[in-house]
């Protein structure tokens, strides 16, 4: 397994003496035994007294957590149905009942993988995230404190209450309806982090449309691929935005992307583009295509909400039945089936173009909301701040749905953590009295590098809980987050999950009796049955005191599980379910220590994790190959101080081209243009030849080692190279390697 060993400087828990307990009992289900062992550890960092005193709690302690876990895996349908019925509003004539979930067994040998939860129930996630709080008298509560990019952009900074957000969402939903958007139809959203972005997502959900948010840093080519894949005929975008000191021209990119789609597919047309005017003072003349482009705010202002209360589908949606919950406001809500699609979000895989991961309404709602509730312990007076952009799954589940389903107050930040200086996050923490912060190790590393003075300049007294996501957190970085940012009094919560899982799979629950182990993601969340498989696909059972390492898999469906890859269900089955029938394959390697804690060791496939963002090496390779100078390219991850992993490209040039600095810059630009700035190569190495097997397969492990060790690479340490067509290629690669 390709564990990157980045955590080797962390506390290694050798084989520990068992306390004589039997390794597993036949009655145990899922990871019950692991949880029991974790509850007995004395090796970690317990929650501080201040945290336990200052923070509210949904559950008393880790024993209760373990008990809930036990119920969630022994009777998943009952557990989730009861939770779903208790915590959300469903259509009165179609509430979830036990027996509604189709318990797919993740075994491709038994037919199609078809996960369904609450399939006969009907709900609306927007209603649950917004309307419900307003009807319950919490309309004046702030939903978003919007912090614009520029500190002194007084006009932009504002608080938006749940009642105001509701009005915004209803207007936007009506604009979409007027544009002819149908239930089940995908809508592309290409926007910066402004309140209109979550509002657009919620507006789609409100009318049963399917949002496909594309990160505002992606190129026209990437956006075009996503618009075309889902055949989006409506695009919501923005004139431009300042990111740090840089003006990003989103509308221009969106126009280009639409033109690309239309030229490649005759007959396909984006008929409506809604444009938010975010920076009219900087971009006074944005070209609007007549008949297609509309000013979003003008369109929203023109909506007559009293008319909007009677949607075309009013007779079929049955909303009038929700009489006690505000029939008027609810009348423009589409009560969809739990298994109707909610969104598509593209993510990178080992091969081919990015996959459109499809999530559905009911299970995703239950997954995002329940993980948010129990992993973060956010209470009504708290202020929560997730730094992720809505263009990523973290922004979906923990920047929009999870917090809003729980009625939380959040900060929505348009800018970047290092602008105007590395104290920006802490300034925001003090400004809004943020209690909960959720960010990525890459950001923490960058801020740590900038020095403690930036942190110490601010009080940060309001902070209670610090959470991380996206990649393994190195124990030293964990220590800095805990000690310097949190002054040792906050609880640090790691959360491991993926675009495909929709919600947290492994968490370090912030409860009395659970000890955090720096660098370990923790233990499974409710309903998650983790399995560690050896290379032959055999499950390694947990034995207290014994450490094991292997592939991380999941044995049974959880509510927010991926339902399909948009337009290619077969691909979903092949990628995640066919390699080991009976299991969902995460693609991550992991170590499970003798106390049942899970430690992620990195991807085992050709996916690299750049600043917490997934990047398929194949995508970067195809971008490089578009350059006429490039004959062949192989891309691997390499250790990077801030990004976690950097992008290292080995490039063989066509005859007639020499590797120059100018050509290197052109290749970097090529990747930025084809994919986006996040795909900028950190290193380009010219290679006379690539190490290939006789069947032509590139042996990437050699390139990975080379990218890691450079000229110091000892070729003898690479092991058996006899399968290489030409083993001398390796010596040449080491010889020609240029240290940067
Ligand atoms: O490799 C794992 C890593 O990020 C991958 C998922 O990426 P993505 O779908 O973009 O979602 C990122 C945010 C959930 C995983 O396969 N990863 C995510 N969280 C962690 C992590 N690795 C270690 N520790 C984590 N907490």
């Amino acid at each position: 397994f390709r564990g990157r060993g980045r955590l080797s400087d962390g506390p290694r828990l050798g084989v520990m003496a068992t306390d004589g307990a039997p390794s597993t009992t036949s009655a145990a289900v899922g990871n019950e035994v692991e949880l029991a062992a974790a509850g007995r550890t004395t090796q970690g960092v317990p929650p501080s007294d201040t945290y336990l005193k200052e923070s509210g709690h949904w559950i008393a302690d880790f024993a209760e957590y373990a008990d809930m876990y036990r119920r969630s895996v022994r009777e998943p349908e009952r557990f989730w149905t009861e939770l779903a019925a208790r915590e959300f509003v469903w259509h009165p004539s179609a509430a979830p009942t036990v027996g509604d979930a189709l318990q797919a067994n993740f075994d491709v040998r038994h037919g199609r993988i078809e996960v369904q939860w609450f399939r006969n129930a009907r709900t609306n996630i927007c209603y649950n995230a917004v309307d419900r709080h307003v009807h319950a008298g919490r309309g004046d509560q702030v939903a978003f404190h919007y912090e614009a990019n520029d500190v002194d952009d007084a006009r932009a900074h504002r608080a938006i209450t749940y009642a105001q957000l509701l009005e915004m969402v209803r207007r936007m939903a009506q604009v979409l309806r007027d544009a002819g958007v149908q239930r089940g139809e995908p809508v592309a959203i290409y926007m910066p982090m402004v309140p209109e972005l979550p509002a657009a997502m919620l507006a789609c959900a409100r009318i049963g449309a399917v949002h496909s948010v594309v990160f505002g840093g992606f190129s026209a080519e990437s956006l075009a691929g996503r618009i075309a894949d889902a055949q989006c005929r409506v695009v919501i975008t923005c004139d431009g935005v300042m990111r740090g000191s840089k003006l990003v021209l989103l509308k221009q990119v969106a126009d280009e992307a639409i033109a690309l789609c239309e030229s490649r597919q005759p007959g396909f047309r984006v008929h409506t583009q809604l444009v938010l005017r975010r920076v009219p003072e900087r971009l006074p003349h944005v070209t609007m295509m007549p008949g297609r482009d509309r000013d979003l705010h003008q369109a929203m202002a023109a909506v007559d909400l009293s008319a909007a209360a009677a949607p075309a589908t009013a007779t079929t949606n049955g909303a009038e039945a929700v009489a006690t919950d505000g029939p008027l406001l609810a009348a423009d809500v589409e009560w969809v089936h739990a298994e109707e699609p909610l969104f598509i979000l593209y993510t990178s895989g080992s091969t081919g173009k990015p996959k459109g991961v499809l999530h559905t309404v009911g299970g995703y709602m239950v997954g995002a909301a329940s993980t948010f509730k129990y992993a973060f312990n956010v209470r009504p007076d708290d202020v929560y701040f997730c730094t992720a952009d809505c263009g990523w799954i973290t922004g979906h589940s923990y920047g929009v749905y999870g917090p809003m389903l729980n009625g939380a107050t959040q900060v929505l930040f348009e800018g970047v953590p290092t602008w105007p200086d590395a104290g920006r996050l802490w300034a925001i923490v003090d400004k809004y009295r943020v209690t909960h912060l959720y960010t990525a190790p890459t950001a923490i590393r960058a801020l740590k590098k900038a020095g403690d003075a930036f942190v110490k300049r601010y009080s940060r007294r309001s902070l209670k809980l610090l959470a991380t996501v996206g990649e393994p957190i190195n124990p030293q970085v964990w220590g800095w987050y805990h000690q310097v940012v949190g002054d040792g009094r906050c609880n640090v919560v790691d959360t491991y999950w993926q675009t495909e899982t929709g919600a947290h799979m492994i968490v370090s629950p912030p409860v009395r009796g659970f000890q955090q182990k720096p660098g370990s993601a923790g233990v499974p969340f409710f309903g998650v049955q983790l399995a560690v498989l050896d290379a032959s696909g055999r499950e390694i059972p947990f034995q207290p005191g014994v450490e094991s390492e292997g592939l991380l898999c999941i044995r049974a469906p959880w509510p927010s599980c991926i339902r399909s890859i948009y337009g290619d269900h077969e691909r979903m089955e092949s990628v995640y379910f066919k390699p080991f029938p009976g299991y969902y394959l995460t693609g991550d390697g992991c170590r499970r220590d003798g106390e049942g804690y899970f430690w992620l060791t990195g991807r085992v496939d050709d996916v690299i994790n750049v600043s917490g963002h997934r990047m398929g090496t194949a995508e970067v390779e195809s971008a490089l190959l578009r350059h006429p100078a490039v004959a062949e390219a192989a891309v691997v991850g390499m250790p990077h101080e801030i990004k976690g992993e950097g992008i290292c490209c080995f490039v063989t040039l066509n005859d007639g081209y020499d590797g120059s600095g100018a050509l290197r810059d052109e290749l970097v630009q090529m990747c930025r243009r084809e994919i986006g700035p996040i795909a900028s190569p950190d290193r380009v190495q010219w290679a006379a030849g690539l190490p290939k097997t006789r069947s032509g397969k590139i042996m990437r492990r050699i390139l990975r080692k080379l990218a890691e060790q450079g000229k110091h690479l000892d070729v003898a340490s690479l092991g058996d190279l006899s399968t290489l067509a030409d083993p001398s290629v390796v010596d040449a690669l080491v010889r020609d390697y240029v240290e940067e």
Side-chain angles (χ1 to χ4, degrees), residues 489-500:
R489 65 164 207 278
C490 302
N491 217 77
V492 176
V493 171
D494 197 346
T495 60
Y496 163 84
W497 58 296
Q498 309 176 301
T499 306
E500 296 87 339

Side-chain angles (χ1 to χ4, degrees), residues 347-348 392-394 398 438 441 468-473 494-501 504 506 519-521 586-588 599-603 607 609 612-614:
T347 189
S348 296
W392 310 107
I393 191 67
T394 306
Y398 302 105
Y438 194 25
T468 74
V469 59
E471 51 181 317
I473 183 163
D494 197 346
T495 60
Y496 163 84
W497 58 296
Q498 309 176 301
T499 306
E500 296 87 339
T501 68
H504 301 152
I506 305 181
S520 157
T586 62
D588 285 299
W599 305 69
L600 279 301
T601 53
R603 299 285 308 191
V607 170
N609 191 328
H613 300 314
R614 262 159 77 169

Side-chain angles (χ1 to χ4, degrees), residues 327-511:
L328 190 67
L329 284 178
D332 65 335
V333 165
E334 199 76 29
W335 293 87
V336 298
H337 284 101
E339 282 302 335
E340 284 183 53
L342 173 63
F343 67 85
I344 307 165
L345 186 61
Y346 290 83
T347 189
S348 296
S350 316
T351 53
K353 55 184 179 107
K355 304 172 283 212
V357 172
L358 182 79
H359 284 286
T360 55
V361 176
Y364 175 81
M365 173 168 84
V366 169
S370 60
T371 47
F372 178 84
K373 176 170 176 174
Y374 293 105
F376 294 154
N377 254 339
V378 173
R379 308 288 294 202
D381 297 333
D382 289 332
V383 178
Y384 164 86
F385 176 20
C386 168
T387 64
D389 192 286
C390 286
W392 310 107
I393 191 67
T394 306
H396 280 61
S397 302
Y398 302 105
V400 180
Y401 291 113
M404 299 198 69
L405 287 163
N406 283 279
T409 292
Q410 326 187 49
V411 175
L412 178 82
F413 179 37
E414 184 184 58
V416 291
T418 46
W419 197 83
D421 64 38
R424 186 69 189 271
L425 289 192
W426 323 124
I428 295 174
V429 165
D430 280 3
K431 180 170 174 187
Y432 300 108
R433 303 197 45 74
V434 170
T435 52
H436 292 64
L437 178 67
Y438 194 25
T439 193
T442 183
I444 306 171
R445 284 193 299 267
L447 299 176
K448 176 173 182 285
K449 191 157 182 256
D452 295 4
F454 283 111
V455 186
K456 297 277 163 65
R457 200 178 290 164
Y458 301 95
S459 118
R460 295 156 285 111
R461 186 63 198 93
S462 52
L463 287 172
K464 295 180 196 168
L465 185 139
L466 304 169
T468 74
V469 59
E471 51 181 317
I473 183 163
N474 177 295
Q476 275 87 43
V477 177
W478 193 100
W480 185 81
Y481 202 31
H482 184 240
Q483 285 305 329
V484 179
V485 175
D487 286 325
R489 65 164 207 278
C490 302
N491 217 77
V492 176
V493 171
D494 197 346
T495 60
Y496 163 84
W497 58 296
Q498 309 176 301
T499 306
E500 296 87 339
T501 68
H504 301 152
M505 294 290 99
I506 305 181
V507 296
S508 343
V511 292

Side-chain angles (χ1 to χ4, degrees), residues 694-711:
R694 286 193 198 93
S695 58
K697 198 170 169 332
I698 295 172
M699 275 175 94
R700 286 162 190 281
R701 72 178 172 87
I702 295 175
L703 298 176
R704 276 195 289 266
K705 273 261 178 327
L706 186 56
E708 199 178 308
Q709 299 176 16
K711 282 223 168 301

Side-chain angles (χ1 to χ4, degrees), residues 575-613:
V575 174
Y576 307 103
F577 297 100
K578 284 201 178 137
F580 301 107
Y583 298 93
Y584 164 85
L585 175 66
T586 62
D588 285 299
C590 89
R591 186 160 63 81
R592 180 182 48 199
D593 71 24
E595 297 179 312
Y597 283 66
F598 288 83
W599 305 69
L600 279 301
T601 53
R603 299 285 308 191
V604 294
D605 50 14
D606 291 323
V607 170
I608 53 181
N609 191 328
V610 184
S611 302
H613 300 314

